[in-house]
Amino acid sequence: MMTSAYESIAQGLQKAIELNQGGEVAARTHRPEPVNVAEIRKNLGMTQMEFASKFCISVATLRHWERGDRTPHGPALALLHVVAKEPQAVLRALG
């Protein structure tokens, strides 16, 4: 049992290393383009406080994104892409 778990972890780690080094991956991957968070917010005519509140983002995180100290990734990046394209749909969904 232990050997099987080790082999599975080792195989996953090896695939991650290959992917990180630019290797081919059997699965399809999707990497959304980076977004300009300040531009999205300004296009909606919202203050940082309003934007953060409406889209359930902490103001501190929003400020880091806008300054470029950090970049959104994962679900936050996906949300921001949808907000950029369909802000009213997101606002309706979030109530």
Side-chain angles (χ1 to χ4, degrees), residues 12-34:
L13 179 58
Q14 185 59 43
K15 286 183 180 182
I17 292 168
E18 291 170 10
L19 174 62
N20 192 44
Q21 294 173 342
E24 292 291 318
V25 179
R28 289 187 194 186
T29 58
H30 178 71
R31 296 182 188 200
E33 294 294 318

Side-chain angles (χ1 to χ4, degrees), residues 5-79:
Y6 170 80
E7 289 171 359
S8 176
I9 292 169
Q11 182 181 18
L13 179 58
Q14 185 59 43
K15 286 183 180 182
I17 292 168
E18 291 170 10
L19 174 62
N20 192 44
Q21 294 173 342
E24 292 291 318
V25 179
R28 289 187 194 186
T29 58
H30 178 71
R31 296 182 188 200
E33 294 294 318
V35 295
N36 184 327
V37 181
E39 183 178 304
I40 294 169
R41 180 182 58 77
K42 289 173 187 173
N43 286 343
L44 294 174
M46 293 182 179
T47 66
Q48 287 181 332
M49 295 291 283
E50 291 169 332
F51 189 88
S53 176
K54 293 281 187 187
F55 299 110
C56 307
I57 300 165
S58 81
V59 176
T61 297
L62 178 62
R63 289 180 179 150
H64 281 292
W65 290 343
E66 290 193 2
R67 281 194 310 256
D69 301 339
R70 298 182 192 155
T71 57
H73 61 277
L77 181 57
L79 171 66

